[in-house]
Amino acid sequence: MEFKDYYKALGVERTASDEEIKKAFRRLARKHHPDLSKAADAPARMQELNEAYEVLRDKEKRAAYDRVGQGAQAGQSFQPPPGWDSGFEFSGGPGEFGDEADHSAFFEALFGAARRGAARGRPGRGFDPGQARRGQDHHAKIVIPLEDSFHGATRQLTLHSPEMDASGNVTLHERTLQVSIPKGIRAGQQLRLAGQGSAGFGDGPRGDLYLEVEFEPHARWRVDGRDLYCTLRVAPWEAALGAAVNVDLPDGTVEMTVPAGSQTGRKLRLRGRGIPGSPPGDLYVLLEVVLPPARDDKARAAYRKMAEDLAFDPRANLGADA
Amino acid sequence: MNSSTISIGVCVAGEHALELEEFAAACGIEVSFVRVLVEEGLLAPAVERPAWRFGGEELARVRRICRLQRDFEANLQSVAVMLDLIDEIERLRAQLHRTGIAAS
């Protein structure tokens, strides 16, 4: 397992005061919070910050961390010495900082046992060892191609979670799930997989796994809720005179009529051709008129002839000062 | 867990929307806190009658509320303001996205 330098994560000195640690955390949290930042690595950064702050803000955990961390470098292979935490008692309750999956294997190795111990004696929940309690629900994200929502699909998903064996060693446990994706699923919705969460306590049932669905970006389609948007490029004569053109859909092709007199930006709707469901979404086609390049004499002559034959001033309606 | 088994993903919506207790468990919060969030206007159940039911969007929203509360030590009023701003940004981003302008 890799040693984590929590001071470096927060950008503070090892001698930093509680106040400096808090300030550093707040500043970095505003920058990297996944709800505020669109950066792809924001969730990972925030997890790192939370973990560092959880340890360094707590006098007991910080002292323990400092003791095991003497001389260790970030990224180095690291095993805590046996019995390293004797003499420390971690009073912080469980679940202060979210799920187990929110912590690195390094954190779990140092503080996981204490946390789990506390979880079993969690005050207020009235848990006694003979009593059954349902396992925790877990959360993850799944990124699927848009086409899955049209056809339904089965996708393989790999989940990592730190788990502790009977002798107290932490390993990053990897498991693979085959997940059926129902037809008509939309981005932002959640799939519930019964019994795929944490094991229950006593005879309690397992928790569930919730998967938040996200679509892979698509070269052709833009998705908004149930509706699909795409841009259709048309020639000037198609837009002016009207035309029948073929439009590709995620589940086939449809012939669409471009009405005569269309301009760039015109929005055409194909009702019910968006994401399937009841009701299904709609498909919006945005027209973009593309001019043929005037590269040769023939093309230039055609444009000149249009200029002569058509009394057309595109700026006619712009007002006197334009 | 046998990896050749296929887990059936059920979309948390419509008839599979979560009841209050299930929803609170999935969010990792107490039922009483769900009630507070609804009373304070930060959360609306997907279905009101005959009993409250909650869908996936609400689940994601409460998890966001908890993250914001925790990471910024923010009170519910501040979280409500943050949520409104985040919603507005997402609405504007979606508008740009629909017209094919990439929001950076």
Side-chain angles (χ1 to χ4, degrees), chain B residues 22-83:
Chain B
E22 288 176 305
F23 179 69
C27 298
I29 61 176
E30 303 286 339
V31 166
S32 57
F33 188 51
V34 177
R35 291 209 176 90
V36 169
L37 292 177
V38 174
E39 273 163 28
E40 297 284 327
L42 277 80
L43 175 72
V47 177
E48 299 253 5
R49 279 161 211 282
W52 285 358
R53 302 284 288 269
F54 299 87
E57 282 86 355
E58 287 75 48
L59 179 53
R61 190 173 176 86
V62 170
R63 284 173 51 77
R64 168 170 277 171
I65 290 171
C66 293
R67 279 195 301 269
L68 292 171
Q69 244 196 336
R70 175 192 75 189
D71 298 336
F72 298 112
E73 291 167 34
N75 63 30
L76 279 188
Q77 284 313 303
S78 319
V79 170
V81 172
M82 285 194 250
L83 284 179

Side-chain angles (χ1 to χ4, degrees), chain A residues 33 35 139 178 192 222 224, chain B residues 7 10 26 64 71 97-98:
Chain A
H33 203 276
D35 293 303
H139 297 265
Q178 301 283 336
R192 181 186 191 183
R222 303 181 292 272
D224 183 26
Chain B
S7 303
V10 176
R64 168 170 277 171
D71 298 336
H97 180 70
R98 282 198 298 272

Side-chain angles (χ1 to χ4, degrees), chain A residues 94 115-127 133:
Chain A
R115 229 156 43 94
R116 254 164 271 258
R120 278 164 178 78
R122 179 188 279 194
R125 285 277 177 111
F127 180 72
R133 203 176 83 210

Side-chain angles (χ1 to χ4, degrees), chain A residues 25-26 33 35 38 50 57 125 137 139 178-180 189-193 196 210 222 224 229 286, chain B residues 3 5 7-12 18 22 25-26 30 56 63-64 67 70-71 73 93 97-98 100:
Chain A
F25 170 78
R26 289 196 167 164
H33 203 276
D35 293 303
K38 280 277 140 195
N50 268 329
R57 77 195 301 223
R125 285 277 177 111
D137 293 335
H139 297 265
Q178 301 283 336
V179 181
S180 77
Q189 289 191 312
Q190 304 261 349
L191 288 178
R192 181 186 191 183
L193 278 62
Q196 295 289 354
Y210 289 89
R222 303 181 292 272
D224 183 26
Y229 288 76
L286 295 167
Chain B
S3 66
T5 333
S7 303
I8 307 296
V10 176
C11 181
V12 183
L18 303 175
E22 288 176 305
E30 303 286 339
R63 284 173 51 77
R64 168 170 277 171
R67 279 195 301 269
R70 175 192 75 189
D71 298 336
E73 291 167 34
R93 278 213 177 96
H97 180 70
R98 282 198 298 272

Side-chain angles (χ1 to χ4, degrees), chain A residues 41-299:
Chain A
D41 67 343
R45 291 295 298 271
M46 195 63 216
Q47 185 201 324
E48 221 175 71
L49 290 175
N50 268 329
E51 190 174 302
Y53 189 48
E54 181 174 353
V55 172
L56 297 188
R57 77 195 301 223
D58 182 309
K59 277 190 179 28
E60 297 158 356
K61 289 201 183 96
R62 186 176 174 185
Y65 172 77
D66 285 346
R67 199 169 78 167
V68 293
Q70 274 167 3
Q73 296 285 318
Q76 268 183 357
S77 178
F78 174 83
Q79 276 301 327
W84 72 274
D85 59 348
S86 57
F88 288 106
E89 194 154 309
F90 302 111
S91 49
E96 280 180 306
F97 274 79
D99 302 342
E100 286 161 54
D102 289 346
H103 292 101
S104 67
F106 174 77
F107 179 96
E108 287 294 325
L110 292 191
F111 305 108
R115 229 156 43 94
R116 254 164 271 258
R120 278 164 178 78
R122 179 188 279 194
R125 285 277 177 111
F127 180 72
D128 74 72
Q131 191 186 330
R133 203 176 83 210
R134 189 172 166 276
Q136 252 192 344
D137 293 335
H138 282 208
H139 297 265
K141 207 168 232 187
I142 185 170
V143 183
I144 57 170
L146 171 63
E147 285 80 359
D148 283 4
S149 177
F150 276 79
H151 310 296
T154 302
R155 292 277 158 197
Q156 187 168 303
L157 180 74
T158 306
L159 296 168
H160 300 266
S161 55
E163 281 191 14
M164 193 172 302
D165 62 23
S167 51
N169 292 318
V170 174
T171 49
L172 212 54
H173 179 75
E174 186 180 294
R175 67 186 173 124
T176 308
L177 277 180
Q178 301 283 336
V179 181
S180 77
I181 313 277
K183 191 173 162 176
I185 192 84
R186 303 194 299 273
Q189 289 191 312
Q190 304 261 349
L191 288 178
R192 181 186 191 183
L193 278 62
Q196 295 289 354
S198 285
F201 296 104
D203 289 332
R206 293 190 76 95
D208 299 336
L209 172 65
Y210 289 89
L211 295 176
E212 186 173 338
V213 174
E214 196 180 297
F215 288 132
E216 288 169 1
H218 200 287
R220 187 188 298 266
W221 307 103
R222 303 181 292 272
V223 188
D224 183 26
R226 303 168 194 272
D227 300 331
L228 295 188
Y229 288 76
C230 72
T231 303
L232 180 68
R233 290 155 72 93
V234 291
W237 45 90
E238 290 174 325
L241 307 173
V245 291
N246 284 328
V247 178
D248 288 332
L249 301 175
D251 61 348
T253 312
V254 68
E255 194 184 79
M256 201 184 72
T257 306
V258 175
S262 292
Q263 296 280 6
T264 286
R266 182 163 192 171
K267 193 157 87 174
L268 305 173
R269 181 168 76 157
L270 289 170
R271 192 189 286 270
R273 298 312 292 260
I275 289 182
S278 49
D282 298 329
L283 170 70
Y284 291 94
V285 178
L286 295 167
L287 294 185
E288 184 187 350
V289 179
V290 183
L291 301 183
R295 259 192 232 113
D296 53 30
D297 286 344
K298 207 171 163 188

